[in-house]
Short mmCIF file of all heavy atoms in Angstrom, two decimals:
data_model
loop_
_atom_site.label_atom_id
_atom_site.label_comp_id
_atom_site.label_asym_id
_atom_site.label_seq_id
_atom_site.Cartn_x
_atom_site.Cartn_y
_atom_site.Cartn_z
N THR V 893 -8.48 -20.42 0.48
CA THR V 893 -7.52 -19.48 1.09
C THR V 893 -7.91 -18.10 0.67
O THR V 893 -8.48 -17.88 -0.44
CB THR V 893 -6.08 -19.75 0.66
OG1 THR V 893 -5.21 -18.90 1.31
CG2 THR V 893 -5.89 -19.64 -0.86
N LEU V 894 -7.76 -17.10 1.55
CA LEU V 894 -8.08 -15.73 1.30
C LEU V 894 -6.79 -15.00 0.84
O LEU V 894 -5.75 -15.17 1.45
CB LEU V 894 -8.66 -15.05 2.54
CG LEU V 894 -9.77 -15.84 3.24
CD1 LEU V 894 -10.26 -15.05 4.47
CD2 LEU V 894 -10.97 -16.10 2.30
N VAL V 895 -6.92 -14.23 -0.25
CA VAL V 895 -5.77 -13.58 -0.81
C VAL V 895 -6.02 -12.06 -0.84
O VAL V 895 -7.04 -11.62 -1.30
CB VAL V 895 -5.49 -14.06 -2.26
CG1 VAL V 895 -4.33 -13.36 -2.92
CG2 VAL V 895 -5.28 -15.56 -2.31
N PHE V 896 -5.05 -11.27 -0.30
CA PHE V 896 -5.10 -9.87 -0.27
C PHE V 896 -3.84 -9.30 -0.92
O PHE V 896 -2.72 -9.62 -0.44
CB PHE V 896 -5.28 -9.38 1.16
CG PHE V 896 -5.33 -7.88 1.33
CD1 PHE V 896 -6.37 -7.20 0.81
CD2 PHE V 896 -4.36 -7.22 2.05
CE1 PHE V 896 -6.41 -5.80 0.94
CE2 PHE V 896 -4.36 -5.84 2.19
CZ PHE V 896 -5.45 -5.11 1.66
N ALA V 897 -4.01 -8.52 -1.92
CA ALA V 897 -2.93 -7.87 -2.67
C ALA V 897 -3.00 -6.35 -2.45
O ALA V 897 -4.11 -5.80 -2.57
CB ALA V 897 -2.86 -8.25 -4.14
N TYR V 898 -1.87 -5.70 -2.17
CA TYR V 898 -1.93 -4.28 -1.89
C TYR V 898 -0.76 -3.56 -2.57
O TYR V 898 0.32 -4.10 -2.79
CB TYR V 898 -1.88 -3.99 -0.40
CG TYR V 898 -0.69 -4.54 0.33
CD1 TYR V 898 0.43 -3.80 0.53
CD2 TYR V 898 -0.74 -5.86 0.86
CE1 TYR V 898 1.55 -4.33 1.21
CE2 TYR V 898 0.35 -6.35 1.55
CZ TYR V 898 1.45 -5.55 1.71
OH TYR V 898 2.62 -6.08 2.36
N GLY V 899 -1.09 -2.36 -2.93
CA GLY V 899 -0.11 -1.42 -3.54
C GLY V 899 -0.78 -0.05 -3.48
O GLY V 899 -1.25 0.38 -2.41
N VAL V 900 -0.84 0.63 -4.57
CA VAL V 900 -1.67 1.79 -4.69
C VAL V 900 -3.10 1.44 -4.62
O VAL V 900 -3.93 2.11 -4.02
CB VAL V 900 -1.35 2.63 -5.91
CG1 VAL V 900 -2.29 3.84 -6.05
CG2 VAL V 900 0.10 3.12 -5.94
N ASP V 901 -3.49 0.29 -5.22
CA ASP V 901 -4.79 -0.31 -5.14
C ASP V 901 -4.82 -1.43 -4.15
O ASP V 901 -3.78 -1.93 -3.70
CB ASP V 901 -5.21 -0.86 -6.52
CG ASP V 901 -5.31 0.22 -7.54
OD1 ASP V 901 -5.36 1.43 -7.20
OD2 ASP V 901 -5.35 -0.09 -8.79
N LEU V 902 -6.05 -1.82 -3.80
CA LEU V 902 -6.29 -3.01 -2.92
C LEU V 902 -7.12 -4.04 -3.72
O LEU V 902 -8.04 -3.61 -4.40
CB LEU V 902 -6.98 -2.59 -1.63
CG LEU V 902 -6.33 -1.51 -0.79
CD1 LEU V 902 -7.17 -1.27 0.48
CD2 LEU V 902 -4.93 -1.93 -0.38
N PHE V 903 -6.78 -5.26 -3.52
CA PHE V 903 -7.61 -6.31 -4.21
C PHE V 903 -7.69 -7.54 -3.21
O PHE V 903 -6.73 -7.95 -2.59
CB PHE V 903 -6.94 -6.81 -5.46
CG PHE V 903 -7.65 -7.89 -6.17
CD1 PHE V 903 -8.77 -7.65 -6.96
CD2 PHE V 903 -7.29 -9.26 -5.99
CE1 PHE V 903 -9.50 -8.68 -7.60
CE2 PHE V 903 -8.02 -10.25 -6.62
CZ PHE V 903 -9.10 -9.95 -7.39
N PHE V 904 -8.93 -8.09 -3.10
CA PHE V 904 -9.17 -9.25 -2.26
C PHE V 904 -10.00 -10.24 -3.01
O PHE V 904 -10.87 -9.89 -3.77
CB PHE V 904 -9.90 -8.80 -1.00
CG PHE V 904 -10.30 -10.00 -0.12
CD1 PHE V 904 -9.42 -10.50 0.78
CD2 PHE V 904 -11.54 -10.57 -0.25
CE1 PHE V 904 -9.77 -11.59 1.59
CE2 PHE V 904 -11.93 -11.66 0.58
CZ PHE V 904 -11.03 -12.15 1.49
N THR V 905 -9.70 -11.54 -2.79
CA THR V 905 -10.44 -12.59 -3.40
C THR V 905 -10.29 -13.89 -2.58
O THR V 905 -9.51 -13.96 -1.71
CB THR V 905 -9.99 -12.87 -4.82
OG1 THR V 905 -10.94 -13.71 -5.49
CG2 THR V 905 -8.62 -13.48 -4.88
N ARG V 906 -11.15 -14.84 -2.87
CA ARG V 906 -11.04 -16.17 -2.28
C ARG V 906 -10.54 -17.11 -3.41
O ARG V 906 -10.94 -17.05 -4.52
CB ARG V 906 -12.45 -16.69 -1.84
CG ARG V 906 -13.01 -15.84 -0.74
CD ARG V 906 -14.01 -16.62 0.11
NE ARG V 906 -15.05 -17.26 -0.73
CZ ARG V 906 -16.29 -16.82 -0.76
NH1 ARG V 906 -16.65 -15.71 -0.15
NH2 ARG V 906 -17.18 -17.50 -1.46
N LEU V 907 -9.63 -17.99 -3.00
CA LEU V 907 -9.01 -18.89 -3.94
C LEU V 907 -9.14 -20.30 -3.49
O LEU V 907 -8.96 -20.58 -2.22
CB LEU V 907 -7.52 -18.48 -4.07
CG LEU V 907 -6.77 -18.90 -5.34
CD1 LEU V 907 -7.41 -18.34 -6.57
CD2 LEU V 907 -5.31 -18.50 -5.23
N ALA V 908 -9.45 -21.20 -4.39
CA ALA V 908 -9.53 -22.65 -4.05
C ALA V 908 -8.57 -23.38 -4.97
O ALA V 908 -8.91 -23.71 -6.08
CB ALA V 908 -10.96 -23.15 -4.22
N PRO V 909 -7.35 -23.63 -4.58
CA PRO V 909 -6.30 -24.24 -5.45
C PRO V 909 -6.70 -25.61 -5.97
O PRO V 909 -6.31 -25.98 -7.04
CB PRO V 909 -5.04 -24.33 -4.55
CG PRO V 909 -5.25 -23.25 -3.52
CD PRO V 909 -6.73 -23.20 -3.28
N SER V 910 -7.48 -26.38 -5.11
CA SER V 910 -7.86 -27.71 -5.56
C SER V 910 -9.38 -27.76 -5.79
O SER V 910 -10.01 -28.85 -5.61
CB SER V 910 -7.48 -28.74 -4.49
OG SER V 910 -6.06 -28.78 -4.35
N ARG V 911 -9.99 -26.65 -6.13
CA ARG V 911 -11.43 -26.50 -6.29
C ARG V 911 -12.13 -26.64 -4.93
O ARG V 911 -11.56 -27.08 -3.92
CB ARG V 911 -11.99 -27.54 -7.25
CG ARG V 911 -11.29 -27.66 -8.56
CD ARG V 911 -11.61 -26.56 -9.55
NE ARG V 911 -10.88 -26.71 -10.76
CZ ARG V 911 -11.27 -27.49 -11.77
NH1 ARG V 911 -12.42 -28.12 -11.70
NH2 ARG V 911 -10.53 -27.54 -12.88
N THR V 912 -13.38 -26.24 -4.88
CA THR V 912 -14.13 -26.33 -3.63
C THR V 912 -14.68 -27.78 -3.45
O THR V 912 -15.91 -27.97 -3.65
CB THR V 912 -15.24 -25.30 -3.63
OG1 THR V 912 -16.00 -25.42 -4.83
CG2 THR V 912 -14.71 -23.88 -3.55
N TYR V 913 -13.84 -28.68 -3.12
CA TYR V 913 -14.22 -30.07 -2.99
C TYR V 913 -15.02 -30.35 -1.70
O TYR V 913 -15.60 -31.40 -1.59
CB TYR V 913 -13.00 -30.97 -3.01
CG TYR V 913 -11.97 -30.67 -1.98
CD1 TYR V 913 -12.09 -31.14 -0.68
CD2 TYR V 913 -10.84 -29.84 -2.30
CE1 TYR V 913 -11.14 -30.79 0.28
CE2 TYR V 913 -9.88 -29.53 -1.37
CZ TYR V 913 -10.01 -30.04 -0.09
OH TYR V 913 -9.06 -29.72 0.83
N ASP V 914 -15.00 -29.41 -0.78
CA ASP V 914 -15.69 -29.68 0.53
C ASP V 914 -16.93 -28.80 0.73
O ASP V 914 -17.40 -28.71 1.86
CB ASP V 914 -14.69 -29.49 1.65
CG ASP V 914 -13.97 -28.14 1.58
OD1 ASP V 914 -14.22 -27.37 0.59
OD2 ASP V 914 -13.09 -27.82 2.39
N SER V 915 -17.41 -28.17 -0.29
CA SER V 915 -18.60 -27.33 -0.16
C SER V 915 -19.23 -26.98 -1.49
O SER V 915 -18.56 -27.18 -2.57
CB SER V 915 -18.29 -26.00 0.59
OG SER V 915 -17.48 -25.24 -0.23
N LEU V 916 -20.47 -26.62 -1.46
CA LEU V 916 -21.13 -26.10 -2.65
C LEU V 916 -20.86 -24.57 -2.70
O LEU V 916 -20.70 -23.87 -1.73
CB LEU V 916 -22.63 -26.28 -2.59
CG LEU V 916 -23.08 -27.81 -2.61
CD1 LEU V 916 -24.57 -27.89 -2.39
CD2 LEU V 916 -22.66 -28.46 -3.88
N THR V 917 -20.82 -24.05 -3.93
CA THR V 917 -20.54 -22.63 -4.08
C THR V 917 -21.74 -21.81 -3.60
O THR V 917 -22.87 -22.35 -3.58
CB THR V 917 -20.29 -22.30 -5.57
OG1 THR V 917 -21.39 -22.71 -6.35
CG2 THR V 917 -19.05 -23.06 -6.06
N GLU V 918 -21.51 -20.54 -3.25
CA GLU V 918 -22.58 -19.72 -2.73
C GLU V 918 -23.69 -19.45 -3.76
O GLU V 918 -24.82 -19.23 -3.43
CB GLU V 918 -22.02 -18.40 -2.24
CG GLU V 918 -21.18 -18.53 -0.95
CD GLU V 918 -20.77 -17.19 -0.45
OE1 GLU V 918 -21.03 -16.15 -1.16
OE2 GLU V 918 -20.15 -17.14 0.66
#
Side-chain angles (χ1 to χ4, degrees):
T893 183
L894 310 180
V895 179
F896 179 65
Y898 59 91
V900 175
D901 295 344
L902 304 181
F903 179 82
F904 174 86
T905 190
R906 298 203 308 257
L907 201 61
S910 299
R911 313 280 180 86
T912 51
Y913 56 82
D914 50 0
S915 68
L916 295 175
T917 58
E918 289 185 356

